[in-house]
mmCIF file of all heavy atoms in Angstrom:
data_model
loop_
_atom_site.group_PDB
_atom_site.id
_atom_site.type_symbol
_atom_site.label_atom_id
_atom_site.label_comp_id
_atom_site.label_asym_id
_atom_site.label_seq_id
_atom_site.Cartn_x
_atom_site.Cartn_y
_atom_site.Cartn_z
ATOM 1 N N SER A 30 0.866 -1.194 -0.002
ATOM 2 C CA SER A 30 0.001 -0.001 0.001
ATOM 3 C C SER A 30 0.887 1.246 0.002
ATOM 4 O O SER A 30 1.765 1.398 0.850
ATOM 5 C CB SER A 30 -0.890 -0.026 1.267
ATOM 6 O OG SER A 30 -1.331 1.245 1.578
ATOM 7 N N THR A 31 0.663 2.120 -0.966
ATOM 8 C CA THR A 31 1.429 3.348 -1.044
ATOM 9 C C THR A 31 0.484 4.537 -0.950
ATOM 10 O O THR A 31 -0.557 4.552 -1.552
ATOM 11 C CB THR A 31 2.212 3.436 -2.371
ATOM 12 O OG1 THR A 31 3.071 2.318 -2.462
ATOM 13 C CG2 THR A 31 3.029 4.729 -2.444
ATOM 14 N N GLN A 32 0.878 5.487 -0.103
ATOM 15 C CA GLN A 32 0.133 6.727 0.041
ATOM 16 C C GLN A 32 0.861 7.794 -0.749
ATOM 17 O O GLN A 32 2.065 7.818 -0.776
ATOM 18 C CB GLN A 32 -0.009 7.065 1.506
ATOM 19 C CG GLN A 32 -0.713 6.001 2.294
ATOM 20 C CD GLN A 32 -0.370 6.034 3.755
ATOM 21 O OE1 GLN A 32 0.795 6.091 4.127
ATOM 22 N NE2 GLN A 32 -1.353 5.959 4.604
ATOM 23 N N GLU A 33 0.105 8.699 -1.342
ATOM 24 C CA GLU A 33 0.750 9.765 -2.114
ATOM 25 C C GLU A 33 -0.003 11.071 -2.006
ATOM 26 O O GLU A 33 -1.231 11.110 -1.921
ATOM 27 C CB GLU A 33 0.832 9.358 -3.608
ATOM 28 C CG GLU A 33 1.608 10.356 -4.424
ATOM 29 C CD GLU A 33 1.877 9.819 -5.817
ATOM 30 O OE1 GLU A 33 1.888 8.630 -6.063
ATOM 31 O OE2 GLU A 33 2.146 10.683 -6.707
ATOM 32 N N PHE A 34 0.790 12.143 -1.950
ATOM 33 C CA PHE A 34 0.246 13.490 -1.980
ATOM 34 C C PHE A 34 1.107 14.291 -2.940
ATOM 35 O O PHE A 34 2.339 14.230 -2.841
ATOM 36 C CB PHE A 34 0.302 14.101 -0.559
ATOM 37 C CG PHE A 34 0.066 15.593 -0.539
ATOM 38 C CD1 PHE A 34 -1.215 16.097 -0.711
ATOM 39 C CD2 PHE A 34 1.115 16.482 -0.321
ATOM 40 C CE1 PHE A 34 -1.435 17.471 -0.703
ATOM 41 C CE2 PHE A 34 0.911 17.845 -0.321
ATOM 42 C CZ PHE A 34 -0.385 18.340 -0.506
ATOM 43 N N ALA A 35 0.476 15.018 -3.825
ATOM 44 C CA ALA A 35 1.257 15.866 -4.778
ATOM 45 C C ALA A 35 0.456 17.128 -5.011
ATOM 46 O O ALA A 35 -0.775 17.121 -5.097
ATOM 47 C CB ALA A 35 1.459 15.116 -6.083
ATOM 48 N N MET A 36 1.206 18.254 -5.115
ATOM 49 C CA MET A 36 0.569 19.548 -5.308
ATOM 50 C C MET A 36 1.590 20.551 -5.834
ATOM 51 O O MET A 36 2.759 20.455 -5.564
ATOM 52 C CB MET A 36 0.010 20.021 -3.959
ATOM 53 C CG MET A 36 -0.866 21.209 -4.017
ATOM 54 S SD MET A 36 -1.673 21.459 -2.420
ATOM 55 C CE MET A 36 -2.494 22.982 -2.741
ATOM 56 N N ARG A 37 1.078 21.514 -6.594
ATOM 57 C CA ARG A 37 1.875 22.659 -7.053
ATOM 58 C C ARG A 37 1.665 23.795 -6.052
ATOM 59 O O ARG A 37 0.614 23.994 -5.531
ATOM 60 C CB ARG A 37 1.459 23.082 -8.439
ATOM 61 C CG ARG A 37 1.789 22.087 -9.491
ATOM 62 C CD ARG A 37 1.697 22.673 -10.870
ATOM 63 N NE ARG A 37 2.022 21.674 -11.850
ATOM 64 C CZ ARG A 37 3.243 21.249 -12.195
ATOM 65 N NH1 ARG A 37 4.277 21.771 -11.593
ATOM 66 N NH2 ARG A 37 3.447 20.340 -13.093
ATOM 67 N N PHE A 38 2.773 24.572 -5.862
ATOM 68 C CA PHE A 38 2.746 25.707 -4.956
ATOM 69 C C PHE A 38 3.353 26.906 -5.650
ATOM 70 O O PHE A 38 4.260 26.770 -6.460
ATOM 71 C CB PHE A 38 3.538 25.395 -3.668
ATOM 72 C CG PHE A 38 2.965 24.272 -2.877
ATOM 73 C CD1 PHE A 38 3.337 22.969 -3.089
ATOM 74 C CD2 PHE A 38 2.014 24.548 -1.892
ATOM 75 C CE1 PHE A 38 2.828 21.914 -2.344
ATOM 76 C CE2 PHE A 38 1.464 23.504 -1.132
ATOM 77 C CZ PHE A 38 1.880 22.190 -1.366
ATOM 78 N N THR A 39 2.873 28.096 -5.274
ATOM 79 C CA THR A 39 3.461 29.302 -5.819
ATOM 80 C C THR A 39 4.904 29.438 -5.319
ATOM 81 O O THR A 39 5.212 29.034 -4.186
ATOM 82 C CB THR A 39 2.669 30.562 -5.393
ATOM 83 O OG1 THR A 39 2.653 30.621 -3.974
ATOM 84 C CG2 THR A 39 1.249 30.542 -5.966
ATOM 85 N N SER A 40 5.751 29.942 -6.145
ATOM 86 C CA SER A 40 7.178 30.085 -5.787
ATOM 87 C C SER A 40 7.344 31.361 -4.961
ATOM 88 O O SER A 40 8.012 32.326 -5.356
ATOM 89 C CB SER A 40 8.038 30.120 -7.038
ATOM 90 O OG SER A 40 8.049 28.857 -7.630
ATOM 91 N N THR A 41 6.763 31.352 -3.780
ATOM 92 C CA THR A 41 6.808 32.472 -2.836
ATOM 93 C C THR A 41 7.057 31.885 -1.455
ATOM 94 O O THR A 41 6.819 30.696 -1.204
ATOM 95 C CB THR A 41 5.480 33.244 -2.802
ATOM 96 O OG1 THR A 41 4.436 32.327 -2.325
ATOM 97 C CG2 THR A 41 5.074 33.783 -4.181
ATOM 98 N N PRO A 42 7.490 32.722 -0.517
ATOM 99 C CA PRO A 42 7.640 32.246 0.885
ATOM 100 C C PRO A 42 6.325 31.645 1.435
ATOM 101 O O PRO A 42 6.344 30.659 2.163
ATOM 102 C CB PRO A 42 8.084 33.475 1.643
ATOM 103 C CG PRO A 42 8.831 34.311 0.632
ATOM 104 C CD PRO A 42 8.047 34.085 -0.648
ATOM 105 N N ARG A 43 5.220 32.248 1.054
ATOM 106 C CA ARG A 43 3.913 31.740 1.512
ATOM 107 C C ARG A 43 3.676 30.339 0.955
ATOM 108 O O ARG A 43 3.170 29.456 1.653
ATOM 109 C CB ARG A 43 2.811 32.700 1.085
ATOM 110 C CG ARG A 43 1.470 32.317 1.613
ATOM 111 C CD ARG A 43 0.435 33.359 1.228
ATOM 112 N NE ARG A 43 -0.844 33.018 1.824
ATOM 113 C CZ ARG A 43 -1.909 33.720 1.667
ATOM 114 N NH1 ARG A 43 -1.886 34.830 0.930
ATOM 115 N NH2 ARG A 43 -3.025 33.345 2.221
ATOM 116 N N GLY A 44 4.013 30.120 -0.311
ATOM 117 C CA GLY A 44 3.871 28.819 -0.925
ATOM 118 C C GLY A 44 4.749 27.771 -0.197
ATOM 119 O O GLY A 44 4.340 26.631 0.008
ATOM 120 N N ALA A 45 5.983 28.156 0.149
ATOM 121 C CA ALA A 45 6.891 27.250 0.832
ATOM 122 C C ALA A 45 6.351 26.889 2.210
ATOM 123 O O ALA A 45 6.417 25.726 2.652
ATOM 124 C CB ALA A 45 8.276 27.897 0.952
ATOM 125 N N ARG A 46 5.779 27.858 2.949
ATOM 126 C CA ARG A 46 5.196 27.601 4.245
ATOM 127 C C ARG A 46 4.018 26.627 4.145
ATOM 128 O O ARG A 46 3.887 25.718 4.932
ATOM 129 C CB ARG A 46 4.732 28.885 4.936
ATOM 130 C CG ARG A 46 5.824 29.637 5.659
ATOM 131 C CD ARG A 46 5.238 30.751 6.536
ATOM 132 N NE ARG A 46 4.316 31.667 5.857
ATOM 133 C CZ ARG A 46 4.668 32.717 5.125
ATOM 134 N NH1 ARG A 46 5.923 33.003 4.954
ATOM 135 N NH2 ARG A 46 3.732 33.449 4.540
ATOM 136 N N LEU A 47 3.162 26.885 3.151
ATOM 137 C CA LEU A 47 1.996 26.018 2.960
ATOM 138 C C LEU A 47 2.445 24.595 2.619
ATOM 139 O O LEU A 47 1.881 23.631 3.132
ATOM 140 C CB LEU A 47 1.121 26.563 1.840
ATOM 141 C CG LEU A 47 -0.129 25.742 1.543
ATOM 142 C CD1 LEU A 47 -1.041 25.594 2.764
ATOM 143 C CD2 LEU A 47 -0.902 26.390 0.374
ATOM 144 N N ALA A 48 3.453 24.460 1.797
ATOM 145 C CA ALA A 48 3.969 23.117 1.446
ATOM 146 C C ALA A 48 4.461 22.393 2.693
ATOM 147 O O ALA A 48 4.082 21.230 2.909
ATOM 148 C CB ALA A 48 5.127 23.251 0.433
ATOM 149 N N ARG A 49 5.213 23.060 3.525
ATOM 150 C CA ARG A 49 5.689 22.450 4.770
ATOM 151 C C ARG A 49 4.553 22.008 5.646
ATOM 152 O O ARG A 49 4.546 20.902 6.199
ATOM 153 C CB ARG A 49 6.614 23.405 5.510
ATOM 154 C CG ARG A 49 7.107 22.896 6.877
ATOM 155 C CD ARG A 49 7.883 23.925 7.617
ATOM 156 N NE ARG A 49 7.275 25.247 7.734
ATOM 157 C CZ ARG A 49 6.330 25.553 8.634
ATOM 158 N NH1 ARG A 49 5.870 24.681 9.461
ATOM 159 N NH2 ARG A 49 5.824 26.789 8.668
ATOM 160 N N ARG A 50 3.568 22.875 5.831
ATOM 161 C CA ARG A 50 2.450 22.534 6.699
ATOM 162 C C ARG A 50 1.620 21.375 6.166
ATOM 163 O O ARG A 50 1.212 20.492 6.958
ATOM 164 C CB ARG A 50 1.528 23.776 6.853
ATOM 165 C CG ARG A 50 2.132 24.796 7.765
ATOM 166 C CD ARG A 50 1.175 25.953 7.925
ATOM 167 N NE ARG A 50 1.577 26.735 9.074
ATOM 168 C CZ ARG A 50 0.987 27.845 9.430
ATOM 169 N NH1 ARG A 50 -0.088 28.282 8.767
ATOM 170 N NH2 ARG A 50 1.427 28.506 10.483
ATOM 171 N N LEU A 51 1.428 21.339 4.862
ATOM 172 C CA LEU A 51 0.645 20.221 4.288
ATOM 173 C C LEU A 51 1.411 18.901 4.361
ATOM 174 O O LEU A 51 0.796 17.850 4.534
ATOM 175 C CB LEU A 51 0.209 20.560 2.860
ATOM 176 C CG LEU A 51 -0.838 21.653 2.771
ATOM 177 C CD1 LEU A 51 -1.143 21.971 1.311
ATOM 178 C CD2 LEU A 51 -2.127 21.248 3.523
ATOM 179 N N VAL A 52 2.721 18.939 4.235
ATOM 180 C CA VAL A 52 3.526 17.706 4.401
ATOM 181 C C VAL A 52 3.357 17.184 5.817
ATOM 182 O O VAL A 52 3.076 16.004 6.021
ATOM 183 C CB VAL A 52 5.035 17.975 4.108
ATOM 184 C CG1 VAL A 52 5.900 16.870 4.651
ATOM 185 C CG2 VAL A 52 5.240 18.119 2.615
ATOM 186 N N SER A 53 3.449 18.040 6.817
ATOM 187 C CA SER A 53 3.300 17.624 8.211
ATOM 188 C C SER A 53 1.908 17.079 8.457
ATOM 189 O O SER A 53 1.754 16.025 9.125
ATOM 190 C CB SER A 53 3.618 18.771 9.144
ATOM 191 O OG SER A 53 3.611 18.353 10.445
ATOM 192 N N LEU A 54 0.897 17.760 7.981
ATOM 193 C CA LEU A 54 -0.505 17.313 8.136
ATOM 194 C C LEU A 54 -0.714 15.965 7.498
ATOM 195 O O LEU A 54 -1.301 15.059 8.067
ATOM 196 C CB LEU A 54 -1.429 18.372 7.544
ATOM 197 C CG LEU A 54 -2.924 17.938 7.480
ATOM 198 C CD1 LEU A 54 -3.480 17.838 8.898
ATOM 199 C CD2 LEU A 54 -3.725 18.969 6.666
ATOM 200 N N ARG A 55 -0.247 15.815 6.239
ATOM 201 C CA ARG A 55 -0.427 14.537 5.530
ATOM 202 C C ARG A 55 0.261 13.396 6.246
ATOM 203 O O ARG A 55 -0.312 12.320 6.405
ATOM 204 C CB ARG A 55 0.095 14.684 4.108
ATOM 205 C CG ARG A 55 -0.329 13.580 3.185
ATOM 206 C CD ARG A 55 -1.805 13.526 2.964
ATOM 207 N NE ARG A 55 -2.232 14.775 2.381
ATOM 208 C CZ ARG A 55 -3.445 15.041 2.002
ATOM 209 N NH1 ARG A 55 -4.385 14.134 2.105
ATOM 210 N NH2 ARG A 55 -3.798 16.193 1.487
ATOM 211 N N LEU A 56 1.480 13.612 6.729
ATOM 212 C CA LEU A 56 2.202 12.578 7.453
ATOM 213 C C LEU A 56 1.437 12.183 8.707
ATOM 214 O O LEU A 56 1.352 10.988 9.046
ATOM 215 C CB LEU A 56 3.607 13.030 7.757
ATOM 216 C CG LEU A 56 4.560 13.081 6.575
ATOM 217 C CD1 LEU A 56 5.850 13.782 6.949
ATOM 218 C CD2 LEU A 56 4.864 11.672 6.044
ATOM 219 N N ASP A 57 0.872 13.149 9.429
ATOM 220 C CA ASP A 57 0.099 12.860 10.611
ATOM 221 C C ASP A 57 -1.115 11.991 10.242
ATOM 222 O O ASP A 57 -1.416 11.018 10.933
ATOM 223 C CB ASP A 57 -0.316 14.158 11.294
ATOM 224 C CG ASP A 57 -1.065 13.898 12.583
ATOM 225 O OD1 ASP A 57 -0.464 13.343 13.533
ATOM 226 O OD2 ASP A 57 -2.288 14.214 12.636
ATOM 227 N N GLU A 58 -1.775 12.342 9.170
ATOM 228 C CA GLU A 58 -2.944 11.565 8.702
ATOM 229 C C GLU A 58 -2.537 10.155 8.329
ATOM 230 O O GLU A 58 -3.353 9.214 8.432
ATOM 231 C CB GLU A 58 -3.608 12.255 7.517
ATOM 232 C CG GLU A 58 -4.302 13.540 7.880
ATOM 233 C CD GLU A 58 -4.821 14.258 6.630
ATOM 234 O OE1 GLU A 58 -4.492 13.908 5.494
ATOM 235 O OE2 GLU A 58 -5.544 15.267 6.825
ATOM 236 N N TRP A 59 -1.314 9.962 7.869
ATOM 237 C CA TRP A 59 -0.837 8.653 7.476
ATOM 238 C C TRP A 59 -0.312 7.833 8.676
ATOM 239 O O TRP A 59 0.215 6.737 8.515
ATOM 240 C CB TRP A 59 0.318 8.736 6.451
ATOM 241 C CG TRP A 59 -0.136 9.260 5.117
ATOM 242 C CD1 TRP A 59 -1.410 9.456 4.682
ATOM 243 C CD2 TRP A 59 0.716 9.650 4.051
ATOM 244 N NE1 TRP A 59 -1.380 9.986 3.401
ATOM 245 C CE2 TRP A 59 -0.092 10.094 2.987
ATOM 246 C CE3 TRP A 59 2.083 9.670 3.882
ATOM 247 C CZ2 TRP A 59 0.422 10.560 1.752
ATOM 248 C CZ3 TRP A 59 2.612 10.134 2.689
ATOM 249 C CH2 TRP A 59 1.787 10.528 1.638
ATOM 250 N N GLY A 60 -0.396 8.371 9.881
ATOM 251 C CA GLY A 60 0.028 7.647 11.082
ATOM 252 C C GLY A 60 1.384 7.985 11.591
ATOM 253 O O GLY A 60 1.932 7.316 12.458
ATOM 254 N N HIS A 61 1.990 9.074 11.076
ATOM 255 C CA HIS A 61 3.285 9.529 11.580
ATOM 256 C C HIS A 61 3.002 10.819 12.355
ATOM 257 O O HIS A 61 2.903 11.894 11.758
ATOM 258 C CB HIS A 61 4.257 9.802 10.434
ATOM 259 C CG HIS A 61 4.431 8.617 9.521
ATOM 260 N ND1 HIS A 61 5.066 7.479 9.928
ATOM 261 C CD2 HIS A 61 4.010 8.417 8.263
ATOM 262 C CE1 HIS A 61 5.058 6.599 8.925
ATOM 263 N NE2 HIS A 61 4.405 7.122 7.907
ATOM 264 N N PRO A 62 2.872 10.731 13.663
ATOM 265 C CA PRO A 62 2.439 11.894 14.477
ATOM 266 C C PRO A 62 3.370 13.082 14.355
ATOM 267 O O PRO A 62 4.573 12.927 14.078
ATOM 268 C CB PRO A 62 2.407 11.351 15.917
ATOM 269 C CG PRO A 62 3.122 10.058 15.903
ATOM 270 C CD PRO A 62 3.160 9.557 14.493
ATOM 271 N N TYR A 63 2.801 14.272 14.600
ATOM 272 C CA TYR A 63 3.570 15.523 14.474
ATOM 273 C C TYR A 63 4.882 15.488 15.249
ATOM 274 O O TYR A 63 5.889 15.973 14.796
ATOM 275 C CB TYR A 63 2.740 16.708 14.996
ATOM 276 C CG TYR A 63 1.537 17.034 14.098
ATOM 277 C CD1 TYR A 63 0.257 16.794 14.518
ATOM 278 C CD2 TYR A 63 1.742 17.567 12.819
ATOM 279 C CE1 TYR A 63 -0.847 17.112 13.710
ATOM 280 C CE2 TYR A 63 0.659 17.863 11.995
ATOM 281 C CZ TYR A 63 -0.623 17.645 12.461
ATOM 282 O OH TYR A 63 -1.676 17.934 11.640
ATOM 283 N N ASP A 64 4.875 14.897 16.426
ATOM 284 C CA ASP A 64 6.079 14.879 17.259
ATOM 285 C C ASP A 64 6.904 13.579 17.075
ATOM 286 O O ASP A 64 7.856 13.338 17.808
ATOM 287 C CB ASP A 64 5.734 15.055 18.736
ATOM 288 C CG ASP A 64 4.851 13.967 19.265
ATOM 289 O OD1 ASP A 64 4.320 13.141 18.491
ATOM 290 O OD2 ASP A 64 4.646 13.914 20.511
ATOM 291 N N GLY A 65 6.585 12.832 16.015
ATOM 292 C CA GLY A 65 7.335 11.614 15.735
ATOM 293 C C GLY A 65 8.575 11.885 14.908
ATOM 294 O O GLY A 65 8.668 12.895 14.214
ATOM 295 N N ARG A 66 9.508 10.930 14.907
ATOM 296 C CA ARG A 66 10.762 11.096 14.199
ATOM 297 C C ARG A 66 10.572 11.321 12.684
ATOM 298 O O ARG A 66 11.169 12.189 12.092
ATOM 299 C CB ARG A 66 11.618 9.846 14.411
ATOM 300 C CG ARG A 66 12.967 9.871 13.693
ATOM 301 C CD ARG A 66 13.680 8.498 13.741
ATOM 302 N NE ARG A 66 12.978 7.465 13.036
ATOM 303 C CZ ARG A 66 13.059 7.239 11.716
ATOM 304 N NH1 ARG A 66 13.802 7.994 10.969
ATOM 305 N NH2 ARG A 66 12.373 6.251 11.140
ATOM 306 N N VAL A 67 9.706 10.536 12.052
ATOM 307 C CA VAL A 67 9.528 10.630 10.619
ATOM 308 C C VAL A 67 8.906 11.958 10.249
ATOM 309 O O VAL A 67 9.368 12.652 9.332
ATOM 310 C CB VAL A 67 8.699 9.452 10.082
ATOM 311 C CG1 VAL A 67 8.288 9.667 8.622
ATOM 312 C CG2 VAL A 67 9.483 8.143 10.185
ATOM 313 N N ASN A 68 7.846 12.350 10.965
ATOM 314 C CA ASN A 68 7.189 13.631 10.628
ATOM 315 C C ASN A 68 8.116 14.789 10.823
ATOM 316 O O ASN A 68 8.236 15.639 9.960
ATOM 317 C CB ASN A 68 5.940 13.798 11.518
ATOM 318 C CG ASN A 68 5.017 14.885 11.000
ATOM 319 O OD1 ASN A 68 5.418 15.977 10.713
ATOM 320 N ND2 ASN A 68 3.719 14.575 10.946
ATOM 321 N N GLU A 69 8.846 14.811 11.924
ATOM 322 C CA GLU A 69 9.778 15.914 12.157
ATOM 323 C C GLU A 69 10.861 15.986 11.099
ATOM 324 O O GLU A 69 11.162 17.048 10.570
ATOM 325 C CB GLU A 69 10.384 15.856 13.529
ATOM 326 C CG GLU A 69 9.380 16.158 14.648
ATOM 327 C CD GLU A 69 9.952 16.111 16.059
ATOM 328 O OE1 GLU A 69 11.049 15.554 16.240
ATOM 329 O OE2 GLU A 69 9.259 16.564 16.968
ATOM 330 N N ALA A 70 11.421 14.833 10.747
ATOM 331 C CA ALA A 70 12.524 14.810 9.757
ATOM 332 C C ALA A 70 12.032 15.230 8.384
ATOM 333 O O ALA A 70 12.632 16.111 7.721
ATOM 334 C CB ALA A 70 13.165 13.418 9.700
ATOM 335 N N VAL A 71 10.936 14.628 7.902
ATOM 336 C CA VAL A 71 10.453 14.936 6.544
ATOM 337 C C VAL A 71 9.926 16.360 6.472
ATOM 338 O O VAL A 71 10.128 17.032 5.460
ATOM 339 C CB VAL A 71 9.391 13.907 6.128
ATOM 340 C CG1 VAL A 71 8.821 14.239 4.741
ATOM 341 C CG2 VAL A 71 9.994 12.501 6.101
ATOM 342 N N THR A 72 9.299 16.867 7.554
ATOM 343 C CA THR A 72 8.828 18.244 7.559
ATOM 344 C C THR A 72 10.002 19.220 7.455
ATOM 345 O O THR A 72 9.949 20.205 6.714
ATOM 346 C CB THR A 72 7.967 18.519 8.797
ATOM 347 O OG1 THR A 72 6.816 17.667 8.748
ATOM 348 C CG2 THR A 72 7.512 19.956 8.841
#
């Protein structure tokens, strides 16, 4: 089973912040909690 998330972001600081937040949120939804090693590293 593979989970995937893909999205385009504006090339702005706001776009970069949104990308980081959505990565963290998606990892949490996939079972890697916000304070877990994988979520923190990938974020």
Side-chain angles (χ1 to χ4, degrees):
S30 158
T31 301
Q32 299 156 312
E33 185 170 338
F34 168 73
M36 190 170 175
R37 291 194 181 282
F38 296 91
T39 59
S40 291
T41 64
R43 185 176 185 181
R46 277 192 309 276
L47 180 59
R49 176 185 50 81
R50 286 183 163 177
L51 289 177
V52 164
S53 185
L54 173 67
R55 192 64 59 176
L56 288 168
D57 183 65
E58 290 174 351
W59 293 351
H61 306 290
Y63 291 111
D64 61 350
R66 178 190 66 83
V67 170
N68 195 312
E69 288 181 347
V71 176
T72 298

